[in-house]
Amino acid sequence: MKNVIIIGGGIVGLSTAYYLNKEGYEVTVIDKGNISSGASFVNAGYITPSHIIPLASPGMIANGIKMMFNSASPFYMKPRLDVDFLKWSWYFHKSSTEAKVEKAIGVIKDINLLSRELFTDIKNSGDLGNFQLERKGLLMLYKTEESYLHEKKVAYRVAQEGLEVTDLNKDELRNIQPHVNIDAEGAIHYECDAHTTPNEIMPKLLAYLKQSGVIIKTQEEVVDLKTSDNRIKEIITNKQSYTPDEVVLAAGSWSGDLAKRLHLKLSLQGGKGYSINVARETGISVPAILMESKMAVTPMSGFTRFAGTMEFSGINNIIRKERVAAIANGASSFYPDLKINEAEIKSVKTGLRPVSPDGLPYIGRSASIKNLTIGTGHAMMGWSLGPATGKLITELLSGNKTSMDISSFDIQRSFT
């Protein structure tokens, strides 16, 4: 059986290893960290069929420029003279049209529904033991008429796609969240969504893969990729080298730099997010997005997570205190009886989400490197789409019909 090297041990890489292992492949995962931090651990844990509008949508670049000089803003693009960033920004602008958004809606819904089903299958299989997977939906909490009307349009489109959505007034919101004081005028409730605890699932998935014979190499960085006859013949790390039959590039925000070594153009930017865990009782039992604060709140196993921001400032793990403070302030704005304390603020974690110019993932085989498959660029839906991406990549490598049409995720697609 073919041996497959997966570069990247986030949710996409480990999900791919899970499904390839089930098909009998010899699988090795190489990660430059120790698979205990980053975007796959600090995200909001959402499984979101309701998120049918891609990040690249009309008005986003204008908002980014407006917020460019406010490093505490929810959507922050740090001004910098970087050719890749400038190209990506231009492609993002070109992708932010009504027509392209409309074209993306169906495929975003389909891959999210596929992933929701796969999360359920994984839980029912018992492979990982028990873990949190709850279908309580997602509340879009709003304070202003402007936010309500904006989300109402999205909700109408979500309902058109056949997904479950309800409009809640203040009293109905109180009924669904009786144990916490919420300062909001109401909510749009996307009942189609689910949530999990990433910090619970990732270690369980890692342990299962090791027990199942998948080789996991941590603290090992890929430094070069040698090609011959349009194939990757050798993967060289800072510790050793590998001779793969097939290679899966699932290195998140670092995928673009590795693609460059293969002379491939993979336009990607790392979008930094932050999360704060509150381990005391908050009374919050249903996940929510605080619309005016542009942040996510998730009741996880043993704590409540407050997460947010999309910061484009290059590949780094620098924590900006003003952005962390914005999350804490946003939480108390909607939950006035809750104040995130200094110790909780200091425990903040950060991670980089790989963002493509059109907000759609890259999933597919390379046209020029015959034994390379790529899975990255999921933006804020990386966690939600991890299992689906792993399943689709496995189907591609096995020569099976894919579970859905993936032409929109073509890694060679043009953005001009």
Side-chain angles (χ1 to χ4, degrees):
M1 181 54 78
K2 285 182 177 178
N3 79 77
V4 183
I5 304 288
I6 300 171
I7 304 173
I11 185 61
V12 172
L14 295 192
S15 294
T16 304
Y18 177 84
Y19 289 109
L20 285 172
N21 177 258
K22 294 275 187 190
E23 290 292 314
Y25 287 87
E26 292 177 13
V27 183
T28 301
V29 177
I30 303 173
D31 193 270
K32 66 185 185 60
N34 58 9
I35 315 184
S36 64
S37 62
S40 291
F41 286 82
V42 305
N43 65 84
Y46 292 163
I47 301 164
T48 51
S50 69
H51 279 33
I52 57 172
I53 308 297
L55 186 65
S57 56
M60 282 302 286
I61 281 287
N63 283 338
I65 292 168
K66 217 184 296 177
M67 297 174 176
M68 196 174 269
F69 302 101
N70 176 9
S71 60
S73 64
F75 183 74
Y76 175 57
M77 302 172 80
K78 183 183 178 183
R80 62 191 195 275
L81 288 173
D82 174 273
V83 174
D84 288 339
F85 176 65
L86 294 172
K87 278 184 182 176
W88 178 91
S89 300
W90 175 245
Y91 296 154
F92 188 101
H93 168 69
K94 296 291 283 184
S95 299
S96 301
T97 66
E98 294 284 1
K100 289 185 178 177
V101 167
E102 188 58 36
K103 192 177 174 188
I105 283 173
V107 292
I108 293 176
K109 179 198 74 172
D110 288 347
I111 191 170
N112 267 287
L113 287 175
L114 172 62
S115 223
R116 190 183 71 182
E117 183 185 323
L118 293 172
F119 266 111
T120 304
D121 289 347
I122 291 169
K123 179 158 186 175
N124 292 341
S125 73
D127 288 343
L128 311 192
N130 192 32
F131 60 83
Q132 184 198 34
L133 175 61
E134 294 189 76
R135 179 85 175 272
K136 292 184 176 180
L138 176 66
L139 297 169
M140 299 294 291
L141 299 175
Y142 60 85
K143 288 175 177 286
T144 65
E145 181 80 359
E146 182 185 5
S147 293
Y148 171 65
L149 293 175
H150 168 81
E151 196 59 35
K152 187 73 176 163
K153 283 183 187 173
V154 177
Y156 177 75
R157 193 67 187 80
V158 168
Q160 279 187 316
E161 290 294 318
L163 300 171
E164 308 92 337
V165 56
T166 311
D167 196 337
L168 303 178
N169 61 30
K170 259 186 175 179
D171 289 337
E172 290 164 328
L173 176 58
R174 200 174 295 117
N175 288 337
I176 207 170
Q177 279 279 242
H179 304 299
V180 61
N181 178 22
I182 302 177
D183 183 4
E185 291 304 305
I188 303 290
H189 187 200
Y190 293 111
E191 298 166 70
C192 50
D193 290 5
H195 71 285
T196 59
T197 301
N199 308 54
E200 183 180 56
I201 292 175
M202 286 293 286
K204 286 175 181 278
L205 180 53
L206 195 57
Y208 170 80
L209 292 174
K210 287 177 180 176
Q211 289 163 9
S212 301
V214 173
I215 298 167
I216 307 288
K217 298 287 188 177
T218 56
Q219 304 288 354
E220 191 164 333
E221 186 170 2
V222 173
V223 294
D224 205 2
L225 299 152
K226 301 287 188 186
T227 60
S228 174
D229 299 324
N230 298 321
R231 297 179 67 82
I232 297 170
K233 294 289 180 153
E234 187 181 13
I235 296 173
I236 301 169
T237 73
N238 57 342
K239 294 184 177 178
Q240 57 192 302
S241 66
Y242 302 84
T243 307
D245 293 321
E246 293 284 347
V247 178
V248 176
L249 178 55
S253 297
W254 290 265
S255 300
D257 288 341
L258 288 169
K260 273 185 189 175
R261 296 178 184 276
L262 298 166
H263 308 291
L264 299 177
K265 291 177 182 175
L266 197 68
S267 188
L268 269 183
Q269 286 293 310
K272 191 189 297 177
Y274 298 81
S275 73
I276 301 169
N277 295 341
V278 173
R280 54 201 159 89
E281 183 55 59
T282 62
I284 297 166
S285 58
V286 181
I289 288 180
L290 316 182
M291 289 192 66
E292 285 80 9
S293 298
K294 292 184 169 52
M295 56 179 283
V297 182
T298 316
M300 296 188 175
S301 292
F303 58 91
T304 304
R305 175 165 289 174
F306 298 84
T309 85
M310 180 61 86
E311 174 188 327
F312 295 104
S313 59
I315 303 288
N316 64 73
N317 290 313
I318 297 166
I319 291 174
R320 294 176 179 268
K321 289 181 181 177
E322 65 274 24
R323 300 183 70 70
V324 183
I327 293 173
N329 294 337
S332 56
S333 169
F334 277 81
Y335 304 104
D337 297 340
L338 175 72
K339 181 167 173 57
I340 297 176
N341 62 43
E342 280 303 313
E344 289 158 345
I345 287 171
K346 282 179 181 172
S347 72
V348 68
K349 298 286 190 293
T350 186
L352 288 165
R353 297 157 292 192
V355 185
S356 70
D358 59 3
L360 295 176
Y362 294 110
I363 304 171
R365 300 280 275 168
S366 167
S368 55
I369 309 290
K370 301 302 181 190
N371 62 339
L372 174 66
T373 307
I374 293 176
T376 188
H378 298 75
M380 293 176 291
M381 290 184 286
W383 181 261
S384 185
L385 303 183
T389 304
K391 179 76 168 172
L392 291 165
I393 288 173
T394 299
E395 289 166 345
L396 286 171
L397 289 181
S398 303
N400 298 330
K401 186 175 186 296
T402 53
S403 297
M404 61 172 287
D405 177 10
I406 61 169
S407 56
S408 296
F409 309 139
D410 183 7
I411 67 173
Q412 281 90 208
R413 65 185 181 271
S414 170
F415 302 104
T416 52

